[in-house]
Amino acid sequence: MRTIKIKPTPDQAKFHSLQCKYPAFVGGFGVGKSETMANQAFMDATHSPNALIGLYEPTYDLVRLIMAPRMEEKLIDFGVRYKYNKSENVIYTSSNQIGDFILRTLDNPARIVGYQTYRSHVDEIDTLKEDHASDAWNKIIARNRQSIGEGSFNRVSAYTTPEGFRFVYKRWVKQRSEMYQMIQASTLGNPFLPEDYVDSLRETYPDNLIEAYINGDFVNLSSGTVYPQFSRIENNSNEEYQQGEKIFIGMDFNVGRMCAVVYVQRNGNAHAVDEFINAYDTPNMINLIKQKYWREKSRGEFEKLNDIYVYPDSTGKNRKSVGAGETDISLLKTAGFNVKAKTVNPPVKDRVNAMNAALCNSKGERVFFVNTRLCPHYTEKLEQQVYNDRGEPEKDGTEDVNDAGGYYIAYEYPIIKPMWTGGFKMR
């Protein structure tokens, strides 16, 4: 095994020096959470060749795309031979000095059974709902009891971006004890980042997230209105549909109250210029759109006058709003519309963040506008929708228009976190 010196940032070094039972490394983007986790996990594995180190991600995709490759890279860097058994999700090392790594997910805490770990490392636990995070954490602690010899010390570490006053805040701040200690790291404290990294974050996120995602602070992300960045004045548009131009329609499926928001593009910006509220079902919505934007040649037959792109609720590929007939999305395609739908909807949080950032990012830049005269219902609901007591956007049946409009914005103006995979200099 090669000897490689690492040079952590000051915040990373403080974390590695913690001796408590449950340390947490909480920070904004670019503070090197994943790299810190991989290095700490490797150091824990050096305590005994019999040690089993648990590594946890919220989903299997994150295990496959982030954690497994990161640990493989780490083992290669340190000259450790290994075998990654993908069916078991275990990395076995061929070393008489290094233990093995078991990779698991947090999405189903009931499946965290059947093994014992010496040390465990949990990534982005604060992205889970609070009850789910607490359940997963308790199951991981229960598994963390492997003895590797006299004096062995079991420990579980957490690494996360703060997501409001949720599980991590309550466990490491509100209920802080000698066992639960935390290092809070700021993106600004990492000297290894590209010079434009923080500016990229400010261009990407709205003001209400910058304190959390750059400074690593706990801020209230789920109170007040859902779209605080929307201004009836600053986001107002006088743009209107021009005959023959492409239109882009966000659509939400609900029998009896289908909604759609129509957008046009102006200089790369999105302008909402029309709304359809409370259509009965998908065939009814299709007919309303065609009547307004195409020309009816005869009853039920329309001449195509422009290209129509629809950004629907992705669950429409399975839902049938007209009994046992075609799915909602297949009806849109059959109607001659161009459908833009991902396999699954983005998380609600990502859709809301994308809309707020498009309405106004932390640099004061706006790319999403609404013709408040032509879209009065959409305007009102952007102003009025609030969070419920579970920290979720309140839904009383009248806010579906926000979902509809959001599917287009989240697809074409998604939150794309600036990428950086460093955190340590090696030599």
Side-chain angles (χ1 to χ4, degrees):
M1 187 175 72
R2 292 195 296 269
T3 298
I4 300 179
K5 295 180 180 180
I6 59 176
K7 184 179 180 181
T9 67
D11 288 329
Q12 292 163 347
K14 290 178 184 177
F15 174 78
H16 290 306
S17 69
L18 291 178
Q19 300 298 314
C20 61
K21 184 79 169 177
Y22 305 118
F25 189 64
V26 178
F29 295 141
V31 299
K33 292 185 296 293
S34 295
E35 184 72 2
T36 304
M37 178 174 170
N39 276 283
Q40 187 63 58
F42 181 85
M43 287 188 281
D44 288 345
T46 64
H47 293 186
S48 169
N50 298 319
L52 183 62
I53 309 300
L55 302 171
Y56 296 86
E57 289 283 355
T59 65
Y60 175 71
D61 279 347
L62 293 175
V63 169
R64 179 174 57 88
L65 298 174
I66 296 178
M67 182 48 61
R70 180 68 65 114
M71 287 311 302
E72 289 186 282
E73 178 184 357
K74 192 62 56 183
L75 292 170
I76 292 170
D77 285 343
F78 283 94
V80 177
R81 296 178 58 193
Y82 70 92
K83 179 181 180 181
Y84 177 26
N85 187 318
K86 294 183 179 180
S87 62
E88 297 179 2
N89 272 314
V90 177
I91 298 176
Y92 296 100
T93 63
S94 301
S95 171
N96 59 3
Q97 302 177 52
I98 307 295
D100 300 325
F101 303 87
I102 183 169
L103 285 60
R104 291 293 183 265
T105 67
L106 304 173
D107 50 6
N108 187 354
R111 295 169 61 185
I112 303 177
V113 295
Y115 58 91
Q116 296 180 17
T117 56
Y118 164 60
R119 295 279 176 91
S120 291
H121 302 267
V122 188
D123 196 24
E124 296 296 359
I125 192 169
D126 223 21
T127 61
L128 306 177
K129 291 183 178 180
E130 189 175 329
D131 289 345
H132 188 162
S134 180
D135 190 15
W137 181 256
N138 291 336
K139 290 289 176 59
I140 292 168
I141 289 176
R143 295 289 98 207
N144 197 240
R145 58 179 187 261
Q146 181 195 22
S147 175
I148 60 169
E150 184 178 354
S152 62
F153 174 56
N154 300 118
R155 184 167 64 180
V156 182
S157 304
Y159 311 76
T160 193
T161 300
E163 297 290 345
F165 300 107
R166 302 172 74 173
F167 173 74
V168 172
Y169 174 80
K170 290 183 178 179
R171 191 63 65 95
W172 274 272
V173 179
K174 190 175 180 180
Q175 302 169 2
R176 186 170 184 172
S177 68
E178 287 299 315
M179 289 198 299
Y180 284 85
Q181 296 181 28
M182 174 184 68
I183 297 299
Q184 229 166 332
S186 169
T187 305
L188 302 174
N190 189 344
F192 307 135
L193 287 172
E195 290 184 2
D196 62 347
Y197 187 83
V198 171
D199 281 341
S200 297
L201 288 176
R202 295 192 186 280
E203 289 177 359
T204 303
Y205 289 95
D207 269 336
N208 65 322
L209 296 184
I210 286 299
E211 289 184 18
Y213 293 168
I214 290 183
N215 297 328
D217 291 337
F218 293 95
V219 297
N220 199 331
L221 304 181
S222 57
S223 68
T225 59
V226 177
Y227 302 103
Q229 303 305 112
F230 176 70
S231 165
R232 186 183 284 259
I233 297 174
E234 297 296 333
N235 291 101
N236 182 55
S237 170
N238 293 317
E239 296 293 339
E240 299 183 22
Y241 166 72
Q242 298 175 8
Q243 188 170 4
E245 74 173 321
K246 296 178 183 178
I247 58 174
F248 309 87
I249 303 178
M251 188 178 296
D252 188 52
F253 299 112
N254 282 295
V255 176
R257 52 185 177 86
M258 281 194 67
C259 296
V261 176
V262 179
Y263 294 89
V264 296
Q265 284 279 342
R266 297 287 186 269
N267 299 317
N269 297 332
H271 295 256
V273 297
D274 196 6
E275 61 186 16
F276 294 89
I277 308 298
N278 295 334
Y280 180 72
D281 58 15
T282 305
N284 178 225
M285 177 66 79
I286 290 170
N287 194 56
L288 290 172
I289 293 171
K290 286 185 173 182
Q291 284 180 347
K292 190 159 189 179
Y293 292 100
W294 288 358
R295 180 183 297 120
E296 190 168 14
K297 296 190 297 183
S298 60
R299 186 174 179 82
E301 292 188 9
F302 294 85
E303 177 185 0
K304 179 177 179 180
L305 298 180
N306 62 342
D307 288 326
I308 296 176
Y309 295 83
V310 179
Y311 299 74
D313 176 353
S314 294
T315 61
K317 66 181 182 298
N318 302 316
R319 181 160 31 204
K320 300 179 177 64
S321 64
V322 285
E326 295 181 84
T327 66
D328 292 307
I329 286 182
S330 66
L331 286 171
L332 294 172
K333 292 179 178 178
T334 300
F337 300 158
N338 303 291
V339 176
K340 300 283 190 177
K342 297 184 183 295
T343 306
V344 296
N345 288 325
V348 173
K349 182 189 74 171
D350 289 355
R351 172 158 50 86
V352 169
N353 287 345
M355 291 181 72
N356 276 314
L359 287 165
C360 185
N361 66 19
S362 67
K363 286 190 166 185
E365 298 165 339
R366 303 173 191 269
V367 297
F368 170 20
F369 301 89
V370 180
N371 187 316
T372 57
R373 176 176 59 85
L374 298 179
C375 303
H377 189 80
Y378 192 27
T379 299
E380 181 180 278
K381 293 308 172 183
L382 285 172
E383 288 178 326
Q384 296 180 3
Q385 188 175 19
V386 297
Y387 285 100
N388 60 26
D389 56 8
R390 298 184 301 278
E392 301 167 347
E394 185 67 72
K395 297 293 292 291
D396 64 5
T398 66
E399 284 81 9
D400 296 327
V401 65
N402 287 348
D403 294 348
Y407 292 128
Y408 166 71
I409 296 297
Y411 192 105
E412 294 295 346
Y413 302 86
I415 290 289
I416 301 177
K417 185 172 68 175
M419 295 301 295
W420 178 76
T421 58
F424 291 85
K425 284 186 176 180
M426 293 189 176
R427 58 181 185 271

